[in-house]
Amino acid sequence: VSRLVEYLLRRLGFYALAAWVAITLNFLIPRLMPGDPAQIMFARFKGEMNPVAIAALRETFGLTDAPMWMQYLSYLEHLFRGDMGISVSYFPEPVVNVIATGLSWSIFLAGTALIISFLLGTALGALAAWRRGGLLDSVAPPLLSLLGAFPYFWMAMLALFLFGFGLGWFPLWHAYPEGTSPGLNLPFLAGALYHAALPAATIVIASLGGWMLAMRNTMVGVLGSDYITYARARGLSPRRVLIRYAARNALLPNITGFGMAFGFVLGGALLTEIIFSYPGQGYLLIQAVRAQDYPLMQGLFLTITLAVLGANWLVDIVTLMLDPRTRR
Amino acid sequence: MRRAVHAGSTVALFLLLCLPGCRRNEPEFRPGVLTVAQEQQSSWVRNFHPFLPMGVARWPTSAGIYEPLMIFNRINGEYVPWLATGYSWSGGADRVTFTIRDGVRWSDGTPFSAEDVVFTFDLLKKKPALDTGGIWKFLESVQLDGQGRVVMRFQRPYSPGLMTLAHLPIVPARVWREIEDPVTFSNPNPVATGPFTEVRHFGNQVWEIGRNPHYWQKGQPKVEALRFPAFPTNEQVTLALIHGEVDWAGSFIPAIDRIFVGRDPEHHGYWFPLVAGSIYLYPSQRVPAFRDVRVRKALSLAIDREMVIRVALYNYTKPAEPAGLSDGYAKWRHPGFGPGDGWVHYDPKAAEKLLDEAGLKRQGEGGMRSGPDGNPLELEISVIAGWSDWVRACQVMARTLRAVGIDAKVKAYDFTGWFQKVQRGEFDLTMGWTDDGPTPYHVFRGIMATETVLPFGEASYANWHRFGNDEADKLLHRFERTVDGNEQREIAWRLQEIFLAEAPAIPIFLNPSWGQYNTKRFVGWPTAGNPYARLSPNHPPETLLVMTGLKPAPATEAVRDNQ
C-alpha cells in the first residue's frame, strides 16, 4: 500500500511541476508577442483617445512597466486568490465571472456526449471484435467512419435544420427553456436534457467511430493472445472471458485517450456551441482571440490546461486499478 | 433481464420528459415584448455601463436605458432635441449652450436637472479612462448658466465636436457620485431617463428590460419590454428571423427577398438605406507606384463596380458617387459633379492609357505591368476573412485589375490580424470604411488630412493609407472654426474638388445600413415610405427614435401595411 501511495504522490508531484510550467508559460506568452497588447486593446475603443485616457485604462487593466519578475510575482499572487484579471472584451467584468457563464454548460454538454460516446463506442468495439466478421463488425465500423468523416459543421447544421427547423422536434437554440430558472427543479432539468439532446447526439455520432475502431483493433490483438486461449480452454464462460480478461486489457489505450479527450471538453465543443447557440467555453475562446482579450485568453487556457492535467491524473488512478503491472 | 427492464424504464423516462416538447417548437410570445438581435454573444454578461464602447456594455445601455442631449438623425441630417430642447453657438465655434428639458424624471422618480449634465461631463474629466471619445481634448469647461442651461467652452473653435457632446449619455449625479470606482462599475441596476430601465430578468441566454415607469414622453414607450436572446453568429440570427422569433435585427442576409421576406411576405420586411458611408479601396502610400495620382485613378477606372455589386452584394447597393460621399451626405455633395465625372466609373481603356503614361509598362504583349522602377509589380488586396461579401468584392476587383495588367491577388486575414496591419499602414491595397459624422469633415479628415498621417508601423485610427494634402489641412481647420452652414458647404465642395484631383482613396460602393423587421407583433417601423430614422439597430442613439416610434400591432391578423 505504501508503494501505491508513493506512486500516486510521485505522479502528483509531476503534475504539480507541469502545472507550474503551464502557469508560467501562460504568463510569458502574451508578453512575448510582438507589438504592444495595450495599443491593440485600445484600438477597439473607437475614437481618438487622450493619452491621459489610455494611461488611465492601462492602469485599470493592470498593464504596468514594472520589471518582469515583479509582474510575475503579482500574477502568481493574484492567481492564488482566484483573480485572473479583468476581461477586455467584457470590461469591467472579472475573467473568472466571464468564464463562469459558460463553464458548467461546456462540461455538461461536451462531457455527457464524451461519456456516452466513449461507453457506447468501447462496448460496440468490444462486441465487434468478439464476434469478428459478424453483422456488427462488418456494418458498424464503415458506417460510423463514414459519419465521422462528414465535416462536423455540415452535419450539425443539417441536424439543426432537419430536426430543429424542419420537423420541429428539438429546440433551435440555447441550453434550457426560457421560462425555467436554473436549479434543482424538474422543468429546468428536463428542459436542459431536451435542449442538449440534439447537440450531444451530433457530437456522439461524429466521435463514436473513433472509439469503436480503437477498441475493436486493440481487442482483436488481445483476443489473439495466449492467455485468452488459455482462459477459454479452462472453460470460463465467454462473457467472463470477454469482460474480465479481454476487454479489461484492451480498454487501457482507450482510457488514456479518454483522459486526453476530457481535457478538451473544457475548451468547449466550439462548432456545436456556435451552431446550436449553446453557452460555453468554445465561443468565449474565439471571442477572446478575436478581440485580443489577453486576460480572458489566459484564463481560458489555464482552465483547459489544469483540466487536462487533472483528467490525466484521474486516468493514472484508473489505469492503476485496471492494470496491476503499473503498480510495480 | 432485470437490467433490460431497467434500461427500458430509463428510455421511457426520457421519452416522458421529451414528449411534452415533441410538438412543433413554435416560438412563444408574451404581448408587448419586443425581441431584438443586435449583439452577437453566446452568453450575456450583466453590464449597463453607459460610457463603454458598443459591444462591451449591453446594446440598449447608451441609448435606450440612458439618453443623450440630442440625437443626430442621419436620414434627414438634423438634430432631434432629446434631454436638451435646443442648442446655440456663440463666439464663433468656441462655445455651445444647451437648453435642458424640464419635467424629465429619473427612473427612480427623482427629478433630472442641468446639474446632472454638468456632473456627467465633469465625471469624464475626472476619470479620463471613461472619455473614450476624447471630448476633453477640445473641451475647456462645462458650466451652468443659472437659467437651466449648460454652457460648454472649447479650448479652440471646433464645430465638428458638437455630435460627440450631444450624444454623450447623461447619468444621475446623485447615484454616480457615490460610486467608488466609476471605471470598473458594471452598473447592474441602472437608474436612467430612457424608455427602458427596469431589468425584469437577466439570464446567461436571455435577458429582458421593462419600460421606465417615469418616462418623460407621455404614453411612451408603447413597447412594454425589450427581450434579448443570445445568438453567437449571423446564421443563428437569420434562422431566428425566418422562424419569426426576432422582431428587430441588423444583420447581413444573402438573397433577403427569397430567404427572409419570402417566408412571410405579409410581416417580414427590411430597409437598407445607403446612408452609412462609403466603402473604399485604399492604396497605401507605402507602394511607390501609388504615389503617382495617375496610377490611383487608373485603379479606380479599372474596377467594374456594377459587377462587384451584382456578384458580391446581391444588388443591395449602388456604385459610389464621384467624390465618394454616401446618400447620408446628399446635401453636401458638390453640385458640379454628376455621375460619370472624374474617375469613379468603369473605363478600362482610359485606365490602360493612364498606366502607360505613368510608365507602368506591360512585360510583353498582354503581360502584367511592372512598377515605375522596372521591377515586377505584385500587389495584395487585404480583406477580412469571413466577411464573405467583401471577400467576393475583392475577388471581382482583382479580376478586373488583372484585365488592365495590374497583378493583384486577394489575401484574407483574420479580423485582428487585418486590423493591425491596416492601422499600421502595412498593406498594398485594402477594402475599408471611413470615419463617420454629421458633416463630411470626418470623412475627408480621415482620408487626406496631414495631421492624421502617422508613420508606417504606428497604429492609426484613420488615414490607414497615409495620404496628406496641405490645402485640405487648411480647409479642415477653417471648417472647425465655423458654424455657418453655407461656409461649411463651400469648404466641403472645395474638399471634394481636391479629392477628385488627388484620388487619395478609391470609393467603391455605398455601405447599406442593415435592418430587418417583423410586423406580426409591432408596427411603425421606419421604411422607405416612412423614413423617420434608420431602421438598423446598429447605430445608437438613432435607435431611440425607433424605440419610441413603435406600437403593438392591432390584434387582428388583417394588418396589411406597416403604418
Side-chain angles (χ1 to χ4, degrees):
Chain A
V1 174
S2 71
R3 230 181 19 227
L4 198 69
V5 172
E6 191 196 312
Y7 171 80
L8 280 179
L9 282 179
R10 206 168 57 230
R11 296 301 291 167
L12 200 59
F14 167 76
Y15 286 119
L17 187 72
W20 175 75
V21 171
I23 287 171
T24 307
L25 278 177
N26 203 20
F27 167 79
L28 283 177
I29 289 170
R31 284 166 178 81
L32 294 178
M33 299 268 274
D36 178 6
Q39 201 186 25
I40 301 155
M41 257 181 213
F42 302 130
R44 59 181 269 107
F45 285 80
K46 198 183 163 197
E48 297 170 62
M49 281 182 74
N50 263 323
V52 191
I54 292 180
L57 266 182
R58 283 184 70 109
E59 204 176 302
T60 311
F61 286 122
L63 296 165
T64 61
D65 297 322
M68 273 299 213
W69 64 269
M70 268 175 73
Q71 289 186 40
Y72 182 60
L73 284 184
S74 85
Y75 162 82
L76 284 183
E77 187 214 320
H78 282 105
L79 211 58
F80 271 104
R81 281 193 275 130
D83 175 2
M84 301 196 205
I86 291 174
S87 162
V88 180
S89 41
Y90 296 94
F91 186 84
E93 204 65 25
V95 168
V96 178
N97 295 6
V98 177
I99 293 181
T101 61
L103 186 61
S104 48
W105 290 109
S106 275
I107 295 177
F108 170 62
L109 177 65
T112 314
L114 174 68
I115 290 168
I116 293 175
S117 179
F118 172 80
L119 293 178
L120 203 60
T122 307
L124 285 177
L127 281 178
W130 186 249
R131 302 196 196 288
R132 214 168 146 194
L135 188 65
L136 182 69
D137 193 31
S138 35
V139 175
L143 186 72
L144 289 176
S145 306
L146 184 73
L147 285 175
F150 279 134
Y152 175 76
F153 183 76
W154 185 83
M155 187 185 66
M157 277 291 212
L158 195 71
L160 178 66
F161 275 99
L162 201 61
F163 300 111
F165 192 67
L167 296 168
W169 292 352
F170 292 97
L172 292 168
W173 38 67
H174 293 167
Y176 56 91
E178 193 175 337
T180 63
S181 55
L184 278 177
N185 57 75
L186 189 68
F188 168 73
L189 294 176
L193 278 181
Y194 180 38
H195 277 72
L198 194 60
T202 61
I203 304 180
V204 169
I205 288 170
S207 57
L208 197 57
W211 294 115
M212 178 175 177
L213 273 184
M215 185 62 187
R216 179 196 170 274
N217 294 345
T218 333
M219 190 79 174
V220 166
V222 170
L223 285 175
S225 339
D226 292 343
Y227 72 91
I228 298 291
T229 319
Y230 179 64
R232 279 183 176 160
R234 282 194 50 177
L236 295 177
S237 76
R239 191 194 177 111
R240 191 175 156 96
V241 176
L242 168 67
I243 295 171
R244 298 268 306 170
Y245 290 80
R248 179 170 168 176
N249 279 303
L251 207 54
L252 292 172
N254 254 20
I255 295 269
T256 313
F258 182 79
M260 299 294 286
F262 192 78
F264 294 112
V265 163
L266 287 208
L270 171 65
L271 289 175
T272 320
E273 284 167 15
I274 290 181
I275 292 169
F276 295 96
S277 306
Y278 207 88
Q281 302 295 94
Y283 185 78
L284 279 183
L285 194 56
I286 277 279
Q287 183 92 336
V289 172
R290 264 195 217 144
Q292 304 221 343
D293 184 346
Y294 288 104
L296 184 54
M297 257 190 266
Q298 283 183 318
L300 288 166
F301 287 144
L302 207 61
T303 322
I304 297 169
T305 324
L306 294 182
V308 173
L309 292 175
N312 275 298
W313 194 62
L314 287 178
V315 165
D316 273 351
I317 296 175
V318 174
T319 313
L320 208 58
M321 293 190 308
L322 285 175
D323 186 359
R325 285 169 303 180
T326 45
R327 285 173 221 162
R328 266 184 252 123
Chain B
M1 192 59 209
R2 271 244 311 279
R3 219 170 263 180
V5 170
H6 188 71
S9 63
T10 315
V11 171
L13 180 71
F14 187 76
L15 283 177
L16 204 70
L17 293 177
C18 157
L19 270 175
C22 284
R23 52 171 197 271
R24 274 200 69 85
N25 50 3
E26 286 299 329
E28 57 160 303
F29 295 104
R30 280 160 295 137
V33 179
L34 176 89
T35 303
V36 189
Q38 197 277 333
E39 295 182 85
Q40 298 190 345
Q41 291 285 352
S42 67
S43 45
W44 297 120
V45 169
R46 188 167 183 156
N47 183 340
F48 301 112
H49 195 306
F51 304 116
L52 295 175
M54 264 182 94
V56 180
R58 299 287 61 81
W59 167 78
T61 306
S62 70
I65 298 178
Y66 292 93
E67 292 179 315
L69 293 174
M70 300 189 300
I71 297 167
F72 180 73
N73 186 344
R74 168 61 74 201
I75 293 293
N76 59 17
E78 313 252 322
Y79 280 98
V80 183
W82 213 255
L83 290 181
T85 51
Y87 73 99
S88 62
W89 288 101
S90 39
D94 65 5
R95 200 162 73 233
V96 64
T97 305
F98 287 99
T99 313
I100 306 302
R101 189 180 291 278
D102 274 334
V104 176
R105 283 181 182 279
W106 295 103
S107 53
D108 62 358
T110 55
F112 157 91
S113 76
E115 279 159 46
D116 293 306
V117 178
V118 175
F119 171 84
T120 303
F121 280 86
D122 282 345
L123 179 69
L124 265 58
K125 187 181 193 177
K126 248 185 284 168
K127 296 282 172 195
L130 296 178
D131 186 11
T132 50
I135 55 172
W136 285 98
K137 253 166 74 176
F138 63 86
L139 265 188
E140 174 70 40
S141 69
V142 173
Q143 282 160 340
L144 286 176
D145 79 340
Q147 292 156 15
R149 285 183 301 207
V150 175
V151 184
M152 305 193 185
R153 287 193 175 73
F154 294 3
Q155 296 162 16
R156 60 188 163 91
Y158 187 65
S159 64
L162 178 64
M163 188 178 79
T164 332
L165 302 176
H167 281 181
L168 190 75
I170 305 300
V171 299
R174 195 175 38 77
V175 176
W176 282 71
R177 200 178 277 133
E178 306 301 321
I179 289 153
E180 202 180 323
D181 185 1
V183 179
T184 56
F185 175 55
S186 63
N187 195 19
N189 297 300
V191 174
T193 59
F196 300 97
T197 52
E198 310 304 299
V199 182
R200 302 212 291 204
H201 165 72
F202 202 100
N204 64 343
Q205 297 182 149
V206 182
W207 71 278
E208 209 172 288
I209 191 164
R211 63 163 78 117
N212 177 354
H214 301 279
Y215 195 49
W216 55 274
Q217 293 189 44
K218 290 289 159 273
Q220 285 286 7
K222 296 196 170 68
V223 176
E224 198 177 300
L226 304 177
R227 172 178 167 264
F228 302 88
F231 297 116
T233 70
N234 246 347
E235 280 70 38
Q236 277 71 35
V237 177
T238 308
L239 192 64
L241 272 166
I242 297 170
H243 202 234
E245 162 109 11
V246 167
D247 299 301
W248 187 16
S251 322
F252 174 84
I253 300 180
I256 192 164
D257 284 315
R258 184 167 53 82
I259 289 184
F260 174 59
V261 180
R263 288 289 297 203
D264 184 357
E266 204 176 310
H267 300 110
H268 291 180
Y270 67 94
W271 184 35
F272 297 162
L274 302 173
V275 293
S278 292
I279 298 300
Y280 292 74
L281 184 67
Y282 289 105
S284 174
Q285 294 292 309
R286 183 179 78 150
V287 180
F290 293 162
R291 292 176 202 148
D292 187 331
V293 63
R294 289 171 297 190
V295 177
R296 299 197 295 268
K297 287 181 180 170
L299 290 180
S300 178
L301 288 164
I303 291 168
D304 185 350
R305 290 174 176 76
E306 302 280 354
M307 183 152 66
V308 169
I309 288 164
R310 200 173 57 241
V311 175
L313 283 127
Y314 301 91
N315 281 326
Y316 290 160
T317 179
K318 56 184 189 186
E321 296 288 318
L325 293 179
S326 78
D327 287 359
Y329 301 99
K331 66 176 186 188
W332 295 90
R333 283 185 192 140
H334 198 299
F337 298 164
D341 277 349
W343 37 269
V344 184
H345 52 88
Y346 182 46
D347 188 347
K349 285 214 176 67
E352 298 238 26
K353 193 160 158 273
L354 278 172
L355 290 170
D356 288 338
E357 280 171 25
L360 270 63
K361 297 264 179 298
R362 282 206 191 245
Q363 294 158 315
E365 191 65 30
M368 287 297 147
R369 293 173 187 274
S370 53
D373 51 2
N375 291 328
L377 188 66
E378 284 165 1
L379 299 170
E380 180 187 298
I381 306 181
S382 318
V383 67
I384 302 156
W387 291 29
S388 49
D389 48 338
W390 281 29
V391 174
R392 271 197 304 277
C394 286
Q395 282 160 348
V396 173
M397 288 195 286
R399 207 159 63 217
T400 53
L401 285 175
R402 290 174 71 83
V404 298
I406 301 280
D407 188 5
K409 289 188 185 66
V410 179
K411 185 148 185 225
Y413 294 87
D414 177 59
F415 181 84
T416 29
W418 172 84
F419 202 41
Q420 200 171 336
K421 266 172 74 83
V422 160
Q423 287 193 317
R424 293 176 173 177
E426 290 163 348
F427 61 91
D428 300 335
L429 285 162
T430 190
M431 219 168 138
W433 55 85
T434 52
D435 202 356
D436 211 5
T439 69
Y441 167 88
H442 285 100
V443 178
F444 288 117
R445 185 169 179 269
I447 286 178
M448 53 190 195
T450 315
E451 64 177 356
T452 56
V453 176
L454 294 187
F456 290 101
E458 213 169 290
S460 170
Y461 162 64
N463 207 336
W464 300 327
H465 52 295
R466 284 18 185 195
F467 185 92
N469 176 287
D470 293 337
E471 200 198 337
D473 290 346
K474 292 198 191 81
L475 288 165
L476 289 166
H477 283 131
R478 255 183 65 206
F479 196 104
E480 290 169 6
R481 285 192 299 271
T482 180
V483 290
D484 175 30
N486 289 329
E487 193 183 347
Q488 287 187 337
R489 206 162 354 237
E490 269 164 41
I491 297 171
W493 292 348
R494 181 65 202 132
L495 283 166
Q496 292 172 60
E497 286 164 12
I498 298 174
F499 183 86
L500 225 65
E502 295 292 336
I506 300 159
I508 309 294
F509 55 80
L510 307 189
N511 198 17
S513 154
W514 313 111
Q516 295 89 17
Y517 62 82
N518 186 337
T519 58
K520 207 172 216 163
R521 293 173 290 276
F522 294 94
V523 294
W525 302 98
T527 56
N530 182 19
Y532 65 90
R534 269 194 274 197
L535 170 65
S536 176
N538 304 339
H539 311 282
E542 278 173 80
T543 45
L544 272 167
L545 303 175
V546 182
M547 287 175 191
T548 50
L550 296 176
K551 54 180 190 283
T556 53
E557 272 297 304
V559 195
R560 289 251 176 269
D561 57 349
N562 164 38
Q563 285 308 318

